[in-house]
Amino acid sequence: MSKSLVIYYSLEGNVEFVAKELAEELGADTFRVETVKDYPKKGLFKYFHGGKDVVFNTLPELKSAIPDVSSYELIVIGTPVWASRPAAPLNTVFASVDFSGKKVAAFCSSASGVEGKTFEVIAEKARGVQSLCASMSLKNPIKNAEAAKAEIKAFAEKIRQ
């Protein structure tokens, strides 16, 4: 794969850990999705605000412009799991980017290791995506770093084909 991009949102660092490891394996560029208004990182408000924005399909304002994806062949989307779906900040990416003609893969991180509808929702919302070429769900990758690195390496090999 000649040109790859990892687009990710990370609240607590787990997705960022995976994104950086994966980008290194693929020789890919990265784009971290950051919102103008930060989401709470702890307590009840973390779950309330994140879950509410996912359920209501909120399009949070981003701090930086999303890069032009036209020169990329492979795009990997990374997200934490919020209310069994991708994090709301990625809604803004899905509404703004046309993924037509791109090979698209996705990964997620959660405390339970269960992706819920995350990959299904990504395939539905990301314009131009018929289906994901591959997906990977990790449970607490920072706490399980060595096992996560092995899974990331295998995932990179799979999507590189």
Side-chain angles (χ1 to χ4, degrees):
M1 199 56 55
S2 64
K3 193 124 186 200
S4 305
L5 173 66
V6 178
I7 297 174
Y8 69 96
Y9 174 78
S10 187
L11 183 65
E12 297 175 334
N14 282 291
V15 173
E16 183 169 43
F17 168 80
V18 176
K20 287 182 175 181
E21 290 289 326
L22 183 60
E24 187 174 316
E25 285 288 332
L26 295 171
D29 295 335
T30 60
F31 175 69
R32 180 177 181 163
V33 175
E34 296 180 273
T35 55
V36 170
K37 183 178 177 188
D38 291 335
Y39 281 90
K41 291 185 179 181
K42 294 180 181 177
L44 184 61
F45 286 115
K46 170 185 166 183
Y47 299 102
F48 174 76
H49 288 293
K52 174 186 67 67
D53 282 1
V54 165
V55 170
F56 289 107
N57 293 310
T58 301
L59 302 174
E61 184 180 354
L62 304 183
K63 286 184 181 178
S64 303
I66 301 164
D68 177 6
V69 301
S70 62
S71 65
Y72 294 101
E73 293 176 20
L74 169 66
I75 300 174
V76 184
I77 299 165
T79 182
V81 177
W82 288 6
S84 296
R85 292 169 176 78
L90 288 170
N91 289 341
T92 305
V93 173
F94 301 146
S96 305
V97 175
D98 184 355
F99 295 93
S100 297
K102 308 296 178 194
K103 185 175 179 181
V104 179
F107 69 87
C108 67
S109 169
S110 69
S112 67
V114 177
E115 70 270 4
K117 295 181 178 182
T118 301
F119 301 128
E120 178 184 323
V121 171
I122 290 171
E124 287 174 5
K125 286 187 174 185
R127 280 187 302 135
V129 173
Q130 300 300 315
S131 63
L132 299 174
C133 69
S135 60
M136 173 180 65
S137 179
L138 296 166
K139 180 178 179 178
N140 296 320
I142 291 175
K143 289 182 182 176
N144 305 300
E146 290 311 309
K149 286 179 183 181
E151 286 187 64
I152 293 164
K153 186 175 184 111
F155 184 62
E157 286 300 317
K158 184 176 184 177
I159 60 178
R160 217 186 324 255
Q161 298 172 1

